[in-house]
Amino acid sequence: MTSYILHGLLLLHGLAACGLFLYGMNCYVMLFLHRRAWKKVLQHEMAVQQTWEASLPQYPRVTVQLPIYNERYVLQRLVEAVARLCYPRAQLEIQILDDSTDETTAMAMPLVERYRHLGFAITLQHRFHRHGYKAGALAAGLTRATGEFIAIFDADFVPAPDFLLRTLPFFRDPSIAMVQTRWGHLNRAYSRLTLAQAFGIDGHFGVEQTARCGAGLFMNFNGSGGVWCRQAIDDAGGWQADTLTEDLDLSYRAQLRGWHLQFVPSVVCPAELPVQMSGVKSQQHRWAKGSIQTAKKLLPHVLQADLPRFTKCQAVLHLTNYLVHPLMLWTALMLPWLSQDAPGSVLHTSLLTTVSIVCATVGPASLYLYAQRQLYPDWLQRLRSLPYLLIFGTGIALSNTKAILEALCNVRGAFVRTPKFRIEHPSDTWVGKHYRAAFSWLSLGELGLAVYSGYGTYLAVHRGAYLLIPFLLLYTLGFAAVAGLSLYEGCQKEVVPHRASCAP
């Protein structure tokens, strides 16, 4: 019986290694597609802009939707940024879609009155429930929207004044459903955690979105910093709340209906990165769970659609990319056990795992490094942030695995929004402010995994499985860092601030 269990575990370990190899190698596919497509994407963007400027510009009616929930620290910054948009006021409508349960609603009222007096068509639409969460708020706002096009900004974003003038020209192509811009970072250098996040986000926008757009593959609206054609939203079935990633869900439904999405890499929409590990976890948990929910919902339709086989394969990898985390976690859990109880399999396990981990680590790392080189003149100085991404990216595997299991088991759960604190400068702090997440007992599991991975490192040294040591050390550091930050945040006290005011 023990032999059967061992062989079963080895088989599962081999399958996990093959999965890691597949997802890792697909990063090189993205790099190849980007190298082939990025000039074409930029040339197309330039041509569209030049045509717009050379002709008599038309200014269609635009509704700007601002979905918010308990955003006392960043609400004013958001509304002021939207009010600075260079666009005829007669053709601009602003909706503050407020589901707040704290002082945010009271703070929004004087802001709305202020900008109404300045000639803006701005409304505050407050719901006394959170039915459908963000998707429900967007759908409710859409029933009152008058715009032909819908721009969406989350509370932590600060769009540039020329945002609409640089995105709307693409809608001259009647097949375009949505235009997505690249996310920037307001507080990239605040901490090692924000450096790691910025590095990862740059990889997605700097390489993946450009590659998918240029190659005609399925891509996605990222939930903020984009503009939708109202007709496309309605044609695709509108906003639906049966997944936690309503943006990804609508994107795929629109593309299945024959619409196209456009990515504009040179238009940057800055946002505030989460500064708490608990905030990063909740954001990643939502993205991981929602992407698997969307995969369960829409992959059967994708596979049945009249699409090239390569497009279908890339859609599968795109929607299931977060499966990397349970695969890595499973590998980390199995290695110490296999090394201890099956000495004869150490060499086989070491070689198999090393190949898969090299692909799963070096592939994404190459993509992230390439993105820095493409996006920033000082890219060499930015490379020092890569270790932070590798550490935090591996340490969050337990939290993301929990999210994926919930999605696979149809565990619903609430939409946990990522708290924002208006952190823009190194001297700013979140300590003592509202919205601190409650302590998560999952942190103790991460701490236990750090100890377990450390024990696995000891076994690898003792058994001579030297190829596994870097991998196990990375997991030891990753789980220890994530658990340590989470426990530290849990010890901070929340101090109730004085009632704020947004009155001019």
Side-chain angles (χ1 to χ4, degrees):
M1 180 63 69
T2 303
S3 177
Y4 284 117
I5 294 175
L6 177 60
H7 282 87
L9 291 174
L10 286 172
L11 176 61
L12 291 175
H13 177 70
L15 293 174
C18 291
L20 291 173
F21 177 82
L22 178 63
Y23 286 104
M25 291 303 295
N26 195 56
C27 290
Y28 294 106
V29 175
M30 289 292 106
L31 287 171
F32 171 77
L33 293 177
H34 182 277
R35 290 289 295 175
R36 192 174 66 174
W38 72 277
K39 287 185 178 180
K40 181 178 70 174
V41 172
L42 292 177
Q43 289 171 356
H44 175 62
E45 179 184 341
M46 186 179 301
V48 168
Q49 199 67 40
Q50 289 174 348
T51 302
W52 166 273
E53 294 171 356
S55 62
L56 183 63
Q58 297 179 349
Y59 299 99
R61 181 77 170 172
V62 176
T63 297
V64 179
Q65 292 189 321
L66 310 176
I68 63 171
Y69 172 69
N70 294 353
E71 304 291 2
R72 71 179 71 193
Y73 301 114
V74 296
L75 172 64
Q76 183 170 347
R77 180 182 68 185
L78 171 66
V79 175
E80 289 176 348
V82 172
R84 290 193 296 267
L85 289 173
C86 296
Y87 205 74
R89 292 186 185 178
Q91 293 297 94
L92 186 66
E93 175 189 36
I94 302 172
Q95 293 181 334
I96 301 178
L97 307 176
D98 179 29
D99 287 356
S100 299
T101 57
D102 67 353
E103 296 176 344
T104 302
T105 304
M107 295 170 65
M109 291 178 180
L111 272 175
V112 170
E113 290 302 317
R114 171 186 177 185
Y115 283 104
R116 276 182 183 167
H117 287 308
L118 294 175
F120 288 89
I122 181 171
T123 59
L124 173 64
Q125 301 179 23
H126 180 243
R127 299 195 305 168
F128 293 94
H129 57 77
R130 292 188 73 198
H131 295 168
Y133 303 108
K134 181 180 176 181
L138 292 172
L142 204 60
T143 62
R144 303 181 184 180
T146 60
E148 180 183 353
F149 299 100
I150 312 295
I152 301 172
F153 302 105
D154 284 344
D156 48 339
F157 279 73
V158 184
D162 64 349
F163 179 90
L164 292 177
L165 298 180
R166 298 186 64 185
T167 52
L168 289 177
F170 289 91
F171 289 103
R172 288 194 168 186
D173 180 349
S175 70
I176 297 297
M178 187 278 304
V179 176
Q180 174 68 53
T181 63
R182 178 163 61 90
W183 289 6
H185 319 295
L186 294 171
N187 57 337
R188 171 188 169 273
Y190 181 75
S191 67
R192 292 176 177 85
L193 182 60
T194 56
L195 285 170
Q197 293 174 79
F199 216 91
I201 290 173
D202 286 342
H204 171 68
F205 285 96
V207 177
E208 289 184 273
Q209 288 288 62
T210 303
R212 294 184 180 280
C213 178
L217 302 175
F218 277 67
M219 57 170 284
N220 62 290
F221 170 52
N222 293 98
S224 182
V227 184
W228 275 90
C229 171
R230 168 68 182 271
Q231 181 184 354
I233 297 177
D234 294 336
D235 182 63
W239 296 105
Q240 298 177 7
D242 53 350
T243 75
L244 290 179
T245 48
E246 73 292 324
D247 45 10
L248 179 63
D249 174 36
L250 180 60
S251 299
Y252 265 69
R253 284 188 281 116
Q255 289 168 108
L256 285 169
R257 291 284 297 170
W259 293 88
H260 297 95
L261 309 186
Q262 179 69 45
F263 177 60
V264 188
S266 65
V267 180
V268 181
C269 192
E272 180 180 326
L273 295 161
V275 294
Q276 295 177 305
M277 177 53 69
S278 58
V280 175
K281 282 183 182 179
S282 66
Q283 186 180 70
Q284 286 287 318
H285 185 280
R286 187 171 67 248
W287 291 350
K289 184 174 180 177
S291 65
I292 299 302
Q293 289 174 328
T294 304
K296 291 175 60 179
K297 175 181 177 179
L298 296 180
L299 272 184
H301 301 284
V302 172
L303 297 177
Q304 294 170 12
D306 184 16
L307 296 167
R309 186 174 300 175
F310 180 71
T311 301
K312 294 180 180 181
C313 291
Q314 283 300 319
V316 172
L317 293 172
H318 183 211
L319 290 178
T320 63
N321 185 65
Y322 275 96
L323 289 179
V324 168
H325 292 281
L327 294 177
M328 294 282 281
L329 183 60
W330 174 262
T331 303
L333 287 172
M334 287 298 100
L335 285 179
W337 191 89
L338 292 171
S339 298
Q340 182 179 29
D341 293 337
S345 67
V346 170
L347 179 60
H348 170 266
T349 302
S350 299
L351 292 174
L352 180 65
T353 302
T354 299
V355 171
S356 62
I357 295 304
V358 164
C359 291
T361 305
V362 176
S366 300
L367 186 148
Y368 298 135
L369 293 173
Y370 176 81
Q372 296 298 306
R373 182 180 179 184
Q374 289 292 115
L375 296 176
Y376 305 108
D378 61 339
W379 64 276
L380 282 173
Q381 299 178 10
R382 294 171 178 259
L383 300 189
R384 68 187 68 176
S385 302
L386 179 61
Y388 305 141
L389 175 62
L390 296 178
I391 290 172
F392 291 121
T394 53
I396 208 169
L398 178 62
S399 177
N400 282 354
T401 298
K402 174 178 175 289
I404 290 168
L405 291 176
E406 289 179 359
L408 293 175
C409 297
N410 296 320
V411 178
R412 298 299 300 170
F415 185 107
V416 181
R417 74 96 162 90
T418 306
K420 301 98 180 174
F421 304 99
R422 193 159 185 168
I423 303 296
E424 300 174 357
H425 308 288
S427 59
D428 296 335
T429 182
W430 57 267
V431 177
K433 292 185 176 180
H434 275 297
Y435 308 143
R436 180 174 61 84
F439 174 75
S440 172
W441 292 101
L442 198 67
S443 302
L444 298 181
E446 291 159 346
L447 185 61
L449 284 169
V451 175
Y452 182 76
S453 298
Y455 173 68
T457 305
Y458 163 78
L459 285 180
V461 173
H462 184 69
R463 298 281 176 144
Y466 301 113
L467 294 175
L468 301 181
I469 294 176
F471 163 63
L472 289 168
L473 280 176
L474 178 61
Y475 259 81
T476 303
L477 290 174
F479 285 122
V482 170
L485 277 176
S486 300
L487 294 171
Y488 166 76
E489 292 170 6
C491 294
Q492 301 303 306
K493 293 183 179 180
E494 181 176 304
V495 179
V496 179
H498 295 295
R499 188 177 183 87
S501 173
C502 282

